[in-house]
Amino acid sequence: MCGRYAASRRPEALTELFQVEKWDPAESLAPDWNVAPTKEVHVIVERPLKDAGDPRPVRQMRVLKWGLVPSWAKSPEGAARMINARAETVHEKPSFRSAFAARRCILPADGYYEWVTGVDERQLEEAGKRKRPRKQPYFVTPADGSVFAMAGLYEFWRDRTLPADHPMAWWATCSVITTEAETTPLAVAPAEGPATLADIHPRMPLMLTPDRWDAWLDPARTDVDEVRALLAPPPAGLMRAYPVATAVSNVRNNGPELLEELAAPEIGTLF
């Protein structure tokens, strides 16, 4: 899954990297090393400009809230549960299928965090001696330092309790698409620990390689089977994973120190 990630690249760098045509500097977000559900995030979308009178799709960088609210939802209360959409079923789930056909986006990230329950902690839990076993966080990121372009969906939701001209009348929200975690060896693996991403967690965010960015963002590409073909996992061997401090487990903690690699896990034996 993807429940937390890091996004520290400056907006100016993202607009250049993704060849963005429209971006409002007033919407810039500060670097965030601990992005959690319901936070505002930068996303790349391709859609006509509002009130421009031109139907041509324009590549834009927008700020959306992480946690998708379907357009038909009665309230936004379930947004925190809609942070992920499974690649295998996204085209048929009522909450996602409309967005999958026409409102796809990219969420730029440095990488994502995933937690592993250690062997010792699991044994204590099974013995009834630990109600909440401690977990060791790992950071997963492209081994070459490139952007982790997560495939996503976005949606608009109208709050009918507010007048149309109210600034909060419309919600723009998004979700990250996940896929099965790679079972092939990591490009760079810890000396002691997971050898593959599947050793950490069975799911992972779907990373789009640059050759798929244009097709994924193209709103004119609406054939479901054609779009589903873009959900193929990236080539194997692109990722590295390493243990980081448990401080990242607290959403109030934020800063580049969260990405610092530990020489060894903080939580005993893991594998």
Side-chain angles (χ1 to χ4, degrees), residues 113-116 135-139 242-249 262 266-267:
Y113 300 101
E114 196 56 81
W115 282 258
V116 176
K135 296 185 178 184
Q136 173 62 51
Y138 277 80
F139 187 64
Y242 58 86
V244 294
T246 53
V248 73
S249 301
L262 300 181
E266 293 180 336
I267 306 208

Side-chain angles (χ1 to χ4, degrees), residues 31-92:
D32 194 337
W33 291 270
N34 202 352
V35 181
T38 74
K39 274 191 173 184
E40 290 189 327
V41 297
H42 281 131
V43 302
I44 311 299
V45 304
E46 205 163 283
R47 56 182 292 109
L49 294 175
K50 185 178 180 181
D51 301 326
D54 184 355
R56 180 183 68 89
V58 174
R59 187 163 299 182
Q60 308 168 47
M61 185 165 72
R62 303 283 296 274
V63 172
L64 275 61
K65 182 172 289 190
W66 185 21
L68 189 140
V69 180
S71 60
W72 44 261
K74 293 182 179 180
S75 78
E77 293 179 358
R81 298 191 299 272
M82 295 284 190
I83 60 171
N84 293 161
R86 295 175 68 93
E88 298 86 348
T89 58
V90 64
H91 64 289
E92 59 188 15

Side-chain angles (χ1 to χ4, degrees), residues 61-265:
M61 185 165 72
R62 303 283 296 274
V63 172
L64 275 61
K65 182 172 289 190
W66 185 21
L68 189 140
V69 180
S71 60
W72 44 261
K74 293 182 179 180
S75 78
E77 293 179 358
R81 298 191 299 272
M82 295 284 190
I83 60 171
N84 293 161
R86 295 175 68 93
E88 298 86 348
T89 58
V90 64
H91 64 289
E92 59 188 15
K93 291 293 184 181
S95 296
F96 302 119
R97 62 190 179 197
S98 178
F100 180 69
R103 287 178 294 280
R104 300 178 297 274
C105 64
I106 292 175
L107 290 82
D110 304 323
Y112 70 98
Y113 300 101
E114 196 56 81
W115 282 258
V116 176
T117 301
V119 173
D120 297 339
E121 292 291 310
R122 191 178 301 112
Q123 290 174 346
L124 288 172
E125 181 185 26
E126 292 172 351
K129 297 179 180 180
R130 180 90 75 187
K131 290 184 178 180
R132 293 185 178 181
R134 296 181 300 163
K135 296 185 178 184
Q136 173 62 51
Y138 277 80
F139 187 64
V140 181
T141 185
D144 62 0
S146 61
V147 68
F148 195 120
M150 299 189 293
L153 309 173
Y154 69 98
E155 190 59 274
F156 297 101
W157 179 77
R158 172 73 164 90
D159 187 344
R160 300 295 176 183
T161 66
L162 299 174
D165 58 351
H166 193 283
M168 293 298 294
W170 285 95
W171 288 45
T173 60
C174 61
S175 184
V176 174
I177 294 179
T178 66
T179 188
E180 290 187 357
E182 295 177 1
T183 57
T184 51
L186 290 160
V188 181
E192 296 181 8
T196 73
L197 291 181
D199 289 339
I200 301 174
H201 194 277
R203 307 290 298 178
M204 64 176 286
L206 177 65
M207 188 182 83
L208 296 171
T209 49
D211 59 303
R212 296 185 190 177
W213 293 353
D214 289 349
W216 179 254
L217 293 173
D218 184 4
R221 194 180 295 261
T222 58
D223 181 83
V224 172
D225 291 334
E226 188 177 347
V227 177
R228 288 188 69 196
L230 299 174
L231 295 175
L238 298 181
M239 304 295 179
R240 66 177 299 230
Y242 58 86
V244 294
T246 53
V248 73
S249 301
N250 188 330
V251 297
R252 291 189 293 270
N253 295 328
N254 210 318
E257 67 278 3
L258 296 180
L259 298 189
E260 293 178 3
E261 182 173 0
L262 300 181

